[in-house]
Amino acid sequence: MTTSQILIITSIIIYMLMVVGIGVYFSKKNKSSDDFYLGGRTLGPIVTAMSAEASDMSSWLLMGLPGLALISGIADPAWTAIGLAIGTYVNWLIVAKRLRRFSHMAGNAITIPEFFKNRYNDSTNVLLAISALVIIVFFIPYTASGFSACGKLFSSLFGIDYLPAMIISALIISGYTMLGGFLAASTTDLIQSIVMTIALVIVVLFGINTAGGMDVVMANARGVAGYLSLTSMGNTATGEVSDYGPITIVSTMAWGLGYFGMPHILLRFMAIRHEDEVTVARRIASIWVVISMSVAIFIGIIGYSLSLGGIVPRYETTSQSERILIDIAGVLSREGVLPALIAGVILAGILACTMSTADSQLLAAASSVSQNLLTDVVGIRLNDVQKVIAARVTVISIAIVAMVIAWNPDSSVFTIVSFAWAGFGASFGPVMLFSLFWRRTTRLAAIAGMLTGGIGVFVWKYMVRPLGGGWNIYELLPAFILSSVVIFAVSLNTAEPEKEILDTFDAVDRG
């Protein structure tokens, strides 16, 4: 093992020990399931904002976005980023404050399924059970993809076997989540967002300097037809130029609709200390998202210049180009002791992206099992201490299932990520918006909309989208629209909600 590898490992080990220490620290603060799953609604605006966005970005920010920009130009990543930026801002603007207030007034709900149950006074628990199952179905494979990403990162960096690398990563993530719960996950997400930001800044400065300056970087980008266009894609590997038309733009921007249904983000809205602090959190979150995604795309442009200069390899596919930050860190690590330690920070940033998403998904899935299914649906009665123990056992159990799914390094678990985003966005997004803003929405409409959105994603993905042409639209968009139409139609054709439900809605309106 080289000196640079030892220094890089040292940086990453220090980082991992820090996040585990945070889990141990917050383990003493979890006195009830409310503390474990929602932090007692005590998050300040900075932690709320940064943990929400860090838990959203995952390794897509530091690997997927730069890799896509490097190989195909800025159109696809730019329109994706624009859609996500708009979705982030609108979600904070219209959902965050109202959900914080409504979830507290509707029986002090601490999970998304419990909020839906309380919102519609669903004594049958059907809506709660469906919501919990949706979270489990989509989040366990999603968590597995995070475990797998960490394993592949360590395996490719240090030449160790994938399996032990994946297991160690999974144990660390599940360890601090199991110990510290929501507060530990949120605090580590804040730190991880800082590490991500530092990594982005270092890579940009080092990359521009190594490539020969900003003029060289932009000249190389302009040398590829369609590369810097928002209406065409210029492939740096083949030289081919393809159109990026209006349908594709709308389909790509539809990623932003997913935010309205993301449980791990919505939980941050519910956990903020006071609704008056949402405005500050919204500004912090929106600014960070716009800057971080813009910088990530620019890193892809820098990476293309570095590949032309032979400083990093030439990339033929997107899966290869996603290694650009890892390759840049490798170049930096050969410059000396301090650069090697800095390279460790860059790699820790990639690790942070993955961990910050996996811990939130793990916690959300665990809450659906222990809090919603076991306690609310099955009817197992536990005291506060027993609920915390059950929550921790559930985190471990789900982590084990996720590790089994991620066992095969050649598995296609990563393909579930965009599909899971669509699944949550279409299943929960319309129901959440109607629940918060339309008084007339009924319980049956919420159930019908949730099922329509979830099933619609499957149908469009596997039966309609393969037809190609104008049907080649990201499944989130048509499923989201169809779910909204169903909720509206069923609400108008079923009995008006009972007075107690309407009174709670009106009380939320009054604040």
Side-chain angles (χ1 to χ4, degrees):
M1 186 174 291
T2 65
T3 301
S4 63
Q5 285 180 319
I6 293 173
L7 293 171
I8 289 172
I9 291 175
T10 300
S11 298
I12 293 177
I13 289 176
I14 291 173
Y15 170 74
M16 286 188 162
L17 289 174
M18 179 178 61
V19 297
V20 171
I22 290 171
V24 173
Y25 172 77
F26 281 110
S27 66
K28 303 173 183 178
K29 296 181 177 295
N30 292 311
K31 307 300 182 184
S32 66
S33 57
D34 186 14
D35 293 334
F36 191 84
Y37 286 128
L38 210 60
R41 298 184 191 267
T42 59
L43 294 191
I46 296 176
V47 177
T48 302
M50 298 310 296
S51 66
E53 302 317 318
S55 66
D56 160 45
M57 287 301 171
S58 76
S59 56
W60 172 83
L61 177 66
L62 295 187
M63 296 179 73
L65 206 57
L68 188 60
L70 190 157
I71 203 75
S72 64
I74 69 169
D76 202 17
W79 286 116
T80 301
I82 291 170
L84 290 173
I86 294 172
T88 297
Y89 181 79
V90 174
N91 202 26
W92 277 97
L93 180 66
I94 68 173
V95 172
K97 182 180 292 187
R98 191 167 179 86
L99 179 58
R100 171 61 176 84
R101 182 189 306 166
F102 212 147
S103 62
H104 181 68
M105 298 180 71
N108 196 29
I110 62 174
T111 68
I112 298 302
E114 188 178 10
F115 167 70
F116 287 140
K117 172 192 173 181
N118 294 352
R119 163 66 175 85
Y120 296 101
N121 196 17
D122 182 16
S123 59
T124 67
N125 285 327
V126 172
L127 185 55
L128 181 143
I130 294 173
S131 304
L133 289 173
V134 167
I135 289 176
I136 294 168
V137 166
F138 287 115
F139 260 164
I140 291 180
Y142 211 154
T143 303
S145 73
F147 291 170
S148 181
C150 291
K152 290 179 179 180
L153 174 61
F154 286 125
S155 178
S156 63
L157 283 176
F158 308 118
I160 61 178
D161 290 340
Y162 163 81
L163 195 55
M166 183 274 290
I167 292 174
I168 291 171
S169 302
L171 289 175
I172 291 172
I173 296 170
S174 57
Y176 72 75
T177 304
M178 180 269 294
L179 288 170
F182 188 82
L183 286 173
S186 297
T187 304
T188 53
D189 287 349
L190 169 63
I191 294 172
Q192 286 156 355
S193 69
I194 295 171
V195 175
M196 292 181 216
T197 303
I198 293 172
L200 288 169
V201 172
I202 291 172
V203 169
V204 167
L205 296 177
F206 177 74
I208 291 175
N209 181 66
T210 306
M214 182 66 76
D215 291 341
V216 173
V217 170
M218 298 311 298
N220 287 332
R222 286 191 291 268
V224 180
Y227 189 81
L228 296 179
S229 172
L230 290 175
T231 56
S232 62
M233 295 174 62
N235 191 295
T236 58
T238 64
E240 296 178 354
V241 180
S242 56
D243 291 334
Y244 205 86
I247 294 178
T248 307
I249 290 173
V250 172
S251 174
T252 304
M253 289 183 67
W255 273 79
L257 292 173
Y259 280 112
F260 300 120
M262 290 299 121
H264 54 300
I265 296 174
L266 297 173
L267 283 173
R268 266 65 182 183
F269 297 164
M270 293 165 61
I272 195 167
R273 188 167 50 208
H274 195 280
E275 64 181 64
D276 291 341
E277 296 179 313
V278 166
T279 300
V280 174
R282 180 183 73 237
R283 292 168 181 166
I284 295 171
S286 300
I287 291 171
W288 186 81
V289 163
V290 170
I291 293 176
S292 62
M293 289 193 296
S294 299
V295 172
I297 293 172
F298 186 54
I299 287 173
I301 298 174
I302 296 171
Y304 174 62
S305 282
L306 293 175
S307 68
L308 285 181
I311 299 167
V312 297
R314 294 295 295 267
Y315 305 102
E316 301 297 329
T317 63
T318 303
S319 61
Q320 294 175 358
S321 63
E322 287 179 349
R323 288 182 48 89
I324 181 60
L325 262 78
I326 297 175
D327 291 335
I328 291 176
V331 174
L332 179 60
S333 68
R334 296 192 290 268
E335 298 295 319
V337 174
L338 181 60
L341 290 172
I342 295 174
V345 174
I346 295 173
L347 297 173
I350 299 174
L351 186 65
C353 281
T354 304
M355 292 174 69
S356 62
T357 302
D359 58 20
S360 298
Q361 294 165 344
L362 189 58
L363 199 60
S367 69
S368 295
V369 174
S370 66
Q371 183 70 27
N372 301 135
L373 293 182
L374 295 183
T375 302
D376 298 326
V377 177
V378 178
I380 299 175
R381 299 303 170 197
L382 304 171
N383 60 37
D384 284 338
V385 174
Q386 291 170 331
K387 284 182 178 180
V388 173
I389 294 173
R392 287 172 171 159
V393 171
T394 307
V395 167
I396 295 172
S397 302
I398 290 176
I400 292 173
V401 175
M403 280 191 279
V404 172
I405 295 174
W407 204 263
N408 180 6
D410 298 321
S411 64
S412 59
V413 70
F414 283 108
T415 60
I416 199 64
V417 173
S418 65
F419 186 64
W421 184 270
F424 280 125
S427 298
F428 286 165
V431 178
M432 178 60 70
L433 292 175
F434 275 92
S435 297
L436 292 176
F437 297 105
W438 194 30
R439 186 174 186 269
R440 183 65 175 76
T441 310
T442 66
R443 181 182 69 88
L444 289 177
I447 293 173
M450 194 173 294
L451 291 174
T452 300
I455 295 171
V457 166
F458 280 91
V459 172
W460 195 275
K461 170 74 173 180
Y462 295 108
M463 298 179 65
V464 179
R465 195 172 183 182
L467 297 175
W471 301 106
N472 186 24
I473 298 174
Y474 182 36
E475 53 271 16
L476 171 56
L477 180 59
F480 190 99
I481 294 173
L482 185 59
S483 174
S484 300
V485 171
V486 167
I487 293 171
F488 182 75
V490 173
S491 291
L492 291 181
N493 288 279
T494 51
E496 185 177 271
E498 57 196 73
K499 184 177 183 302
E500 181 183 350
I501 296 175
L502 297 178
D503 287 345
T504 301
F505 190 95
D506 293 338
V508 172
D509 274 345
R510 293 191 298 268

